[in-house]
Amino acid sequence: MNIIFNPSQRLKFYLTIFVFSLCLMVAALVYFTGGVQYAYAHSMYVPIIIAAAIFGKRGGAIAALLGGLLLGPLMPIDTTTSLMQSPINWMIRLGYFMLIGTLTGYFIKQIKVYYLERVHFHSHLPDANIPLITRLYEKSKKFDELDKETAIFTTININNYTNLNDFLGHDKYVNILKQTYLRLCELLGHKDIYSKDMHSLIIYTSNHENIMQLNKEIELLLVEPFYIDNIPIHLETVLGSSPFNETIEQTLNQCIVSSRYAEKNHLPSATFNKIYVEKNLEFTYLGSVLEALEDNDFYLVFHPQHNALDKGSVCLEALLRWNHKTLGNIPPNNFIPVIEKTSLINPLTEWVVKRSLEAIKTFESHDIDVIIAINISTKNLFHENFFEMIKKWLDHYNVSPSKIELEITESSLMYNPVASEEALRKLKDYGISLSIDDFGTVYSSFTYLKRFSVQKLKIDRSFIADLEDNLASKSIIETAIYLANKLNIETVAEGVETSNQLDVINGLGCNYTQGYLWTKPLQLDAIIGYLKNV
């Protein structure tokens, strides 16, 4: 009878033969070295542990039984005198073998389960159980030429994400996201669907002849309502597609361009076309970033945070500016959000870190002691080499970690709270100060603030703007400052522009203020002069 093994069965068969042979070899070793009276008998633990590691506690127990019998009733204590063992002797040894084999198999299985759970947790969107985009990057590394020729990528952006999240609550919105994922899996017949963030999904397909037809099928699928507590919920989505183009980053950038084109032209979907590039200024930004970094077209300005007690400045926020060769000075709100959605944010942030550390050395040469705050994004925080990058440049410039402060927005941290907590704790333990920017615009949870171990809280400028006329804004600020003080978190009021605002903020106990009341953001030489006169 022919026995056909699939690869996993064949491997298990060979491993079984290997363990069995190893048991026989140990038995032979024990016999030809004089019997079980010598320490060679303990070598039988090797095949037992190997079997337990491969086949679990059952495999460990079977190997232990085989090893115990091989060293049991037929194995002499001393082969030179042919003195045999008493039954109690080899049976006790067999019992120890069985115990070690079973326990080893059990604990190794628990370790495997824990490891797989951790891997799954860090590679899937919490609660929704959707693979994160990092899994797609890993998959793309294994693409062959055929994959690259046939691969199609589609991004799905949920435009009414904010409204749904506010109306339904976070948990129910995640439920809708999970239902969306399951619908797409059923339609496509595969699970190559990934989460970019809480309101974007990415689909990878291959060998699909008609991109437009695929998008149409997805559109029809998502038009159908989702039901939460018997309430029909409709998603407002826009799709952007692109064939694979050299790298996964470039392909996803083209998907972003396509979806933005579709949104601006009130279309449900669009497939990448070079014509869009000419009509989309954002793509020009993305295509110019690396060249601008090489040519130093970017520069930093610094905006001071003033201490409420002595009006002195102890911290400067480093703000990025871009003097584009053909477009001139581009407002930061135009290019930063675009770059933050791509992997280009990583080299750009590294450039900001280097220039900020150079500025610190310049301040030191002028006997100015300040901390520089650097804004970072989610992509920075979760990048596998981010911490090492920060550490490398701190060491290179011989700057203490306490001299920099990292600012990240509240919404960015809430994308993956557990991973955020781990990343922030690593930075804090190294001595880097942490600050939450734009507090009050999204979740405003002091429970998460305590978990994230931040040292500073920046109250969003929108609350400061109508502070004098809106009692609700004042109450929110007062509550935030009070609770932050209870958690030993310092507070910064952003966007202070009038003396009345300053008086109210100081009266509420805010630690620092920042805004045009003091000065506009200044370049390095100007801020040095400003600080010397404060």
Side-chain angles (χ1 to χ4, degrees), residues 300 351-364 372 374 389-400 403-404:
L300 293 182
W351 184 93
V352 173
V353 170
K354 291 165 62 178
R355 295 297 176 270
S356 297
L357 296 176
E358 291 173 0
I360 289 174
K361 301 303 289 185
T362 302
F363 289 134
E364 288 177 352
I372 290 188
I374 301 169
M389 182 273 289
I390 294 284
K391 186 175 183 298
K392 179 183 75 172
W393 291 115
L394 283 170
D395 292 340
H396 176 81
Y397 288 103
N398 192 28
V399 172
S400 168
K403 288 293 185 180
I404 65 170

Side-chain angles (χ1 to χ4, degrees), residues 465-492:
D466 60 351
L467 173 64
E468 299 169 80
D469 302 319
N470 192 324
L471 290 177
S473 291
K474 182 179 179 180
S475 297
I476 291 171
I477 295 170
E478 185 175 15
T479 302
I481 293 172
Y482 173 79
L483 292 175
N485 288 336
K486 288 295 183 181
L487 294 172
N488 293 319
I489 298 174
E490 294 183 318
T491 49
V492 181

